Amino acid sequence: MGVSKKIFAVICIVFLAGALAGSTLAQDRGEVSSTYKGKKVSINYGQPELKGRDMLGKATTGMVWRFGMNQATTLTTEAALKFGSVEVPAGSYSLFAKKTDAGWDLIISKATGGWGTNRDESLDLPGVAFKVGNNASPVEKFTIELHGEGGSGEMKAMWGDTALSIGFEVH
């Protein structure tokens, strides 16, 4: 076996061993779910860590953030939702956040399953403004929570000192 084939074999073995031990990408994913009116709403997202950086503070107006890391953040809902005036039928969607002059907007895309940096704007629903607030204490690892019950809920995303929250109605 030639040197290049041996190197390739070693790389394959290392990759396979890592996959069997548990993927780092899978370990860096979070998932949150809640039930509203008997219907499940869940969000699967990458969880980057700050490691001393102020990532949201570095964002410039117009910048679109993948709302997590690696594979796109996915909202899956069994119920129709309404974020502000934006109607979201039951199904799966990718979530992004866009920095605006006033704060941040939630962008809901009909495209799913892609890498977080790939986005087709033609598949986006209209953006909806997040309420921007502060966390009681800094959050090192990006975290999304779902709150509420019955016919209304709230999605809250926290990272560093920043908390982005947005309410929704369940239909």
Side-chain angles (χ1 to χ4, degrees):
M1 186 183 293
V3 174
S4 62
K5 286 184 180 181
K6 287 180 184 177
I7 292 172
F8 179 75
V10 169
I11 290 170
C12 288
I13 291 169
V14 170
F15 179 79
L16 181 58
L20 293 174
S23 168
T24 304
L25 292 177
Q27 292 171 356
D28 290 338
R29 303 266 330 149
E31 184 155 6
V32 61
S33 65
S34 194
T35 303
Y36 305 89
K37 291 185 171 182
K39 305 280 185 164
K40 184 178 177 181
V41 175
S42 63
I43 301 172
N44 180 287
Y45 61 101
Q47 292 190 281
E49 295 181 29
L50 286 174
K51 298 180 182 178
R53 303 169 294 176
D54 179 11
M55 300 307 290
L56 297 180
K58 291 180 180 181
T60 58
T61 300
M63 186 197 97
V64 175
W65 171 41
R66 66 177 100 183
F67 208 56
M69 65 181 231
N70 297 332
Q71 188 166 351
T73 294
T74 304
L75 164 70
T76 303
T77 177
E78 295 176 346
L81 305 177
K82 188 174 182 181
F83 291 85
S85 63
V86 177
E87 305 263 348
V88 180
S92 291
Y93 302 87
S94 293
L95 301 180
F96 298 88
K98 182 176 184 175
K99 179 71 171 143
T100 66
D101 288 331
W104 290 90
D105 281 356
L106 172 65
I107 297 173
I108 302 167
S109 174
K110 296 176 191 174
T112 60
W115 199 249
T117 54
N118 298 335
R119 179 174 144 250
D120 181 347
E121 292 181 46
S122 70
L123 298 173
D124 292 351
L125 300 176
V128 184
F130 277 110
K131 178 182 173 190
V132 180
N134 294 316
N135 293 314
S137 59
V139 176
E140 173 65 22
K141 197 172 199 178
F142 179 65
T143 303
I144 297 176
E145 297 177 345
L146 288 172
H147 301 281
E149 57 186 42
S152 63
E154 178 188 57
M155 176 177 61
K156 184 175 183 181
M158 299 163 291
W159 204 21
D161 294 327
T162 304
L164 304 174
S165 59
I166 191 165
F168 58 87
E169 296 174 24
V170 181
H171 297 281

